[in-house]
Structures are given as structure tokens and as C-alpha cells.
Amino acid sequence: MATKKKIISKEDIVSLYMEEVLENGHKPKSVYHFAKENDFTEAEFYAFFGTLEGLEKEIFRLFLVNTIDLLHRNNDYLEYDMKNKMLSFYFTFFEILTANRSYVLQALKLDRNPLKNLVQLTTLRDSFKEYVSEILTDDYRLEQEKFQKFQEKGIQESAWLQLMLTIKFWVDDASPAFEKTDIFIEKSVNASFELMNVAPLNHLIDLGKFLFKEKIYSKP
């Protein structure tokens, strides 16, 4: 009696791809070669991914998805303020990256052109910006509605830049247990939230509105 072939899952394909990159030191030549070498069909691959590049992007997005899933399993996390949620995100995210460090380092150096390697992070970027928007609280929002959308985009972009700088620091970190990265995370997140304090900006806007009204409505 013939053995029934196992149905390959999205997670199986991700795992096989990461393993192949690590073992060979380069990505597969094509979907055809990747599928053939791992005993599944191209059709099974295309059921989950459109291209090998799409698979690469999804791997980094899954690091974030798994991070958020772990955070939401902790009931205390839901009660945290924005800064502590971000700190929890960073520490959990980099634990996951560390567990997959060999692949991450390999993936970010596959191409001689650094910009091509960073393309893998575009889906991660979109998902991370969504996460930042979700945890953004009124404490860090301007009261003036017309400025809120502009401010939120600014916070998302600066948070993404900070994450990229932290990834670069972690990649270069040679300290035991990456303890210097932990210190960098705490100091950089604390500093960013100090800069995000909108109270002074609100006061400047109020002053501007006051001066505008005085100029328009005051009589000589």
C-alpha cells in the first residue's frame, strides 16, 4: 500500500527555505529547483507564495507576527502604557531574531548590494508601522485633529528607523548574550519617548493660535 504524501504547509516551506539557505550559503536558483530538492511541487509553493522574494519577505514578517502573538499571551502586556509595550516588543522580537540569528545574518548579506537585501524587510516595515499605530495612545497624540495624521506617520517612520538601527546594532553586537543590544534597546526607546512628548508642542500650537487671534481680531 502506497504511503500517503504529507500535505506541505506554509510553515513547512518557510522552514525548508531557511534550512536550505543556511546549508548552501545562498538562496535557491528558482522555485523549480527549491521544490524539486525538497520533494514538493511548484503548485504547492504557489499556493502560499508568488515568488522566492515574497517568501523571503514573509519570513521577516512572521518574526513580527510571532512576537505580537507572544506579547498578547501575557495579560499584563495589555495593561502596559505605550513605552512599556514597545520595550516588551523589542525584547521579544530580538529574542526571536537571536533564535534565528544564523539565518538573519545570512539573509541580510545574500546580495552584494545592501539595498537589495533590505527589500526583504519591506513587509516587516508595513506590519511594524501597523503595530505602532495600534499601540499609539492619546498621551502621544496631538489634540489638534488636523495634525494627528501627519504626526502619526512621523511616529511610525521614526519608530521604523529606530528598529532598523537596532537591527544593525544587533547584527554587529559581539557581547555575551547580546547584552549590549539590550542596553541599546532600553536607552534608545527611553530617549525616543522623551522626544515624543507632545506637551511642549501643544503649548507652542496654543501660543500660535493665541497670537494669530490677537493679530486678526485686535484693534489698533
Side-chain angles (χ1 to χ4, degrees):
M1 185 176 178
T3 304
K4 187 176 181 180
K5 184 180 177 182
K6 177 189 173 185
I7 298 175
I8 194 165
S9 67
K10 179 179 180 179
E11 290 72 21
D12 291 332
I13 293 177
V14 167
S15 180
L16 289 167
Y17 183 84
M18 293 174 69
E19 186 177 339
E20 183 159 328
V21 168
L22 285 171
E23 289 186 353
N24 298 330
H26 57 79
K27 62 183 181 181
K29 293 180 180 178
S30 65
V31 173
Y32 169 79
H33 284 94
F34 176 48
K36 185 177 180 180
E37 289 172 6
N38 291 282
D39 195 29
F40 62 89
T41 67
E42 287 184 79
E44 288 175 305
F45 177 91
Y46 289 123
F48 301 106
F49 307 101
T51 61
L52 289 175
E53 289 74 21
L55 168 56
E56 291 169 346
K57 293 177 183 179
E58 180 65 6
I59 290 171
F60 281 94
R61 191 188 75 86
L62 287 174
F63 291 152
L64 181 138
V65 169
N66 292 337
T67 297
I68 295 175
D69 181 59
L70 286 171
L71 291 173
H72 281 93
R73 293 181 191 180
N74 179 2
N75 291 330
D76 292 336
Y77 167 82
L78 301 176
E79 304 300 322
Y80 290 165
D81 60 16
M82 186 182 173
K83 184 174 82 168
N84 283 304
K85 282 183 177 177
M86 186 63 79
L87 281 169
S88 297
F89 170 87
Y90 264 90
F91 287 127
T92 306
F93 182 71
F94 279 90
E95 281 180 12
I96 290 176
L97 285 194
T98 298
N100 296 278
R101 184 174 172 87
S102 295
Y103 173 80
V104 174
L105 296 184
Q106 183 78 8
L108 293 179
K109 296 175 182 177
L110 282 174
D111 198 287
R112 292 181 180 179
N113 185 342
L115 292 178
K116 287 186 178 180
N117 292 321
L118 293 179
V119 169
Q120 298 174 78
L121 305 182
T122 53
T123 308
L124 169 65
R125 177 179 179 271
D126 293 340
S127 296
F128 177 69
K129 287 170 64 178
E130 288 178 11
Y131 170 74
V132 172
S133 181
E134 288 171 3
I135 66 170
L136 183 59
T137 61
D138 289 341
D139 291 340
Y140 295 97
R141 276 196 178 94
L142 291 168
E143 294 175 3
Q144 288 72 24
E145 186 176 353
K146 63 181 179 180
F147 292 112
Q148 285 182 8
K149 191 172 182 180
F150 173 79
Q151 181 211 22
E152 187 164 328
K153 286 184 178 180
I155 290 174
Q156 289 174 333
E157 293 297 341
S158 61
W160 171 246
L161 176 60
Q162 183 179 15
L163 181 61
M164 290 289 288
L165 290 173
T166 310
I167 290 175
K168 177 64 169 63
F169 188 96
W170 172 81
V171 165
D172 297 335
D173 189 3
S175 64
F178 307 104
E179 57 190 21
K180 288 185 179 179
T181 297
D182 288 344
I183 296 170
F184 181 85
I185 287 171
E186 189 164 358
K187 289 184 178 297
S188 63
V189 170
N190 284 335
S192 68
F193 274 83
E194 285 296 320
L195 292 172
M196 278 172 57
N197 186 353
V198 299
L201 185 55
N202 275 328
H203 292 321
L204 286 175
I205 290 173
D206 286 341
L207 175 61
K209 288 166 64 177
F210 169 77
L211 293 174
F212 177 78
K213 288 179 179 178
E214 285 297 303
K215 184 176 181 181
I216 295 298
Y217 296 111
S218 60
K219 295 181 180 180

